[in-house]
């Protein structure tokens, strides 16, 4: 029977599939030493956020597949895995709708001034209802940076459900694709920032996107606009964001991700107003957790059976799985 080591808990639906495909073992802890102790003779390694380094991979000579219970694989040394012919499985798309709904909920929360109204009622200051004015989203412009699966869903929901105008900046997609999604493509990020009432970042963290929204670009955004980042931390210059929130240039920001997670207690953002923060949970709905675990588990079991997985991240090893 194949041995499957699950470093962190996943949804019971996925666990059922793994247990039907092999003997599932849970390590006593998540340190490299504890994982290696449990996985020396493992065929499969299942992880969520655990870092799967080259040394960890090489300490498991029998390893055939690494199942990443999520979309990103930045915590897995894919190069080392590929060199050994180890399949790396991820789950693109399983939480896309969840993240899209988070993005829309977040900017509506900020534009409708729900924090301010909630605080007024709690303080017994009912009359302050005349001080804060929310805005309607119909007819407003949302700028989507990155028109992948999540960006495309956000675009459709905003167009059909909210009656918003959608601008897209994504140098890696054809202009026709944006038009097919009911959006208008722009060739310059600064154009999108200047014309948008809401900006949603839906791009990966790469050397090219690191600090993409620096002070200059944040200042180029429309005054009173709202910024949402549910992609990856490090894309926004956090001290610069704190400044544009504190001086009122931006109307608000919603961050589900940070450059350092969890963010430090001295992060300047904590002093900024109109900031909605969440602990990297945009894609962690119950529905997404079930879809993600089921998709990942089915592919891991397929590899162990010598079958072709649906979501093979390192496709270059295709002939070996």
């Amino acid at each position: 029977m194949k041995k499957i080591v699950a470093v962190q808990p996943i949804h019971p639906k996925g666990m059922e599939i793994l247990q039907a495909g092999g003997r599932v073992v849970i390590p006593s802890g998540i340190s490299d030493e504890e994982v290696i102790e449990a996985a020396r003779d493992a065929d499969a390694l299942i992880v969520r956020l655990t870092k799967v380094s080259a040394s960890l991979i090489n300490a498991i000579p029998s390893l055939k597949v690494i199942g990443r219970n999520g979309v990103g694989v930045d915590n897995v040394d894919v190069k080392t895995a590929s060199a050994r012919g180890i399949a790396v499985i991820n789950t693109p798309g399983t939480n896309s709708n969840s993240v899209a709904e988070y993005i829309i909920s977040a900017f509506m929360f900020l534009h409708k001034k729900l924090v301010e109204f909630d605080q007024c009622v709690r303080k017994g200051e009912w009359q302050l209802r005349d001080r804060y004015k929310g805005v309607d989203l119909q007819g407003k412009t949302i700028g989507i940076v990155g028109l992948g699966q999540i960006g495309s869903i956000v675009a459709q929901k905003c167009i059909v459900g909210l009656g918003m105008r959608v601008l897209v900046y994504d140098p890696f997609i054809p202009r026709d694709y944006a038009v097919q999604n009911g959006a208008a493509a722009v060739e310059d990020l600064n154009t999108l920032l200047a014309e948008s009432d809401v900006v949603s970042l839906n791009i990966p963290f790469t050397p090219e996107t690191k600090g993409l929204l620096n002070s200059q670009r944040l200042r180029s955004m429309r005054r009173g606009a709202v910024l949402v980042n549910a992609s990856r931390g490090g894309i926004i210059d956090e001290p610069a964001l704190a400044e544009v929130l504190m001086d009122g240039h931006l109307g608000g920001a919603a961050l589900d991700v940070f450059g350092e997670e969890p963010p430090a207690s001295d992060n300047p953002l904590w002093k900024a107003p109109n900031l909605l923060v969440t602990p990297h949970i945009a894609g962690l709905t119950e529905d997404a957790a079930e879809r993600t675990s089921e998709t990942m588990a089915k592919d891991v079991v397929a590899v162990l059976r010598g079958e072709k997985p649906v979501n093979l991240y390192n496709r270059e090893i295709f002939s070996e799985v």
Side-chain angles (χ1 to χ4, degrees):
M1 180 176 288
K2 301 297 185 181
K3 182 177 178 179
I4 303 171
V5 173
V7 179
Q8 288 138 330
I10 63 172
H11 192 279
K13 181 69 174 181
M15 287 298 288
E16 290 175 7
I17 296 170
L18 292 176
Q19 289 165 348
R23 179 171 64 92
V24 178
V25 174
I26 300 175
S28 58
I30 62 173
S31 69
D32 276 10
E33 294 76 14
E34 291 164 320
V35 173
I36 291 170
E37 180 64 28
R40 290 187 188 280
D41 56 347
D43 299 281
L45 184 66
I46 309 301
V47 298
R48 287 173 59 195
L49 300 177
T50 298
K51 183 174 179 59
V52 185
S53 62
S55 59
L56 178 58
I57 293 172
N58 290 328
I60 312 173
S62 55
L63 195 60
K64 300 177 181 64
V65 55
I66 298 170
R68 162 72 171 100
N69 196 65
V71 179
V73 294
D74 43 317
N75 61 317
V76 178
D77 189 326
V78 178
K79 182 177 180 180
T80 298
S82 298
R84 282 192 44 197
I86 298 169
V88 176
I89 302 298
N90 68 332
T91 60
T94 55
N95 67 354
S96 295
N97 184 73
S98 306
V99 177
E101 288 188 3
Y102 171 95
I103 291 166
I104 293 170
S105 299
F107 71 69
M108 291 189 72
F109 184 94
L110 290 166
H111 271 299
K112 297 298 182 180
K113 306 292 184 182
L114 298 187
V115 170
E116 292 89 342
F117 289 132
D118 175 83
Q119 292 175 349
C120 287
V121 176
R122 291 178 185 275
K123 294 176 181 178
E125 298 174 340
W126 191 268
Q127 72 280 4
L128 291 182
R129 63 193 294 267
D130 296 323
R131 177 183 299 178
Y132 302 110
K133 299 295 183 183
V135 299
D136 289 343
L137 277 305
Q138 185 174 6
K140 299 297 192 298
T141 299
I142 179 170
I144 298 176
V145 183
L147 196 64
Q149 289 184 321
I150 294 171
S152 297
I153 295 172
V154 171
Q156 288 300 309
K157 290 181 184 295
C158 287
I159 293 169
V160 177
L162 296 176
M164 297 183 75
R165 172 186 178 229
V166 176
L167 293 181
V168 171
Y169 171 74
D170 192 330
F172 300 102
I173 63 162
R175 179 180 290 269
D176 289 347
Y177 181 74
V179 174
Q180 290 167 10
N181 278 271
V186 296
E187 295 183 1
D188 181 66
L189 176 58
N190 290 331
T191 299
L192 179 143
L193 297 176
E195 296 186 18
S196 300
D197 301 287
V198 181
V199 173
S200 175
L201 302 179
N202 304 291
I203 52 179
F205 179 73
T206 66
E208 291 73 29
T209 62
K210 181 179 180 181
L212 181 68
L213 262 66
N214 54 24
S215 180
Q216 180 180 0
R217 286 201 171 103
L218 290 169
R219 293 282 174 193
S220 72
M221 290 179 64
R222 179 175 290 179
R223 188 170 185 84
V226 164
L227 174 64
V228 182
N229 186 14
S231 53
R232 283 292 184 268
I235 297 172
I236 300 173
D237 181 330
E238 293 176 0
L241 176 59
E243 288 184 8
V244 295
L245 287 171
M246 287 189 282
D247 66 21
H249 181 76
L250 289 189
L255 303 178
D256 187 50
V257 291
F258 295 84
E260 176 187 354
E261 295 183 355
S265 59
D266 61 351
N267 190 311
L269 283 168
W270 300 138
K271 298 179 181 179
N274 302 319
L275 176 68
L276 172 66
V277 294
T278 48
H280 207 148
I281 49 79
L284 297 183
T285 64
E286 179 70 15
D287 302 282
E290 181 174 344
R291 288 192 298 268
T292 298
S293 70
E294 183 177 9
T295 299
M296 180 276 301
K298 285 181 177 179
D299 270 349
V300 166
V301 171
V303 172
L304 295 180
R305 290 174 177 169
E307 301 169 0
K308 178 183 176 182
V310 175
N311 297 299
L312 178 63
Y313 184 81
N314 51 344
R315 295 179 179 276
E316 64 270 20
I317 68 141
F318 172 76
S319 62
E320 299 184 36
V321 300

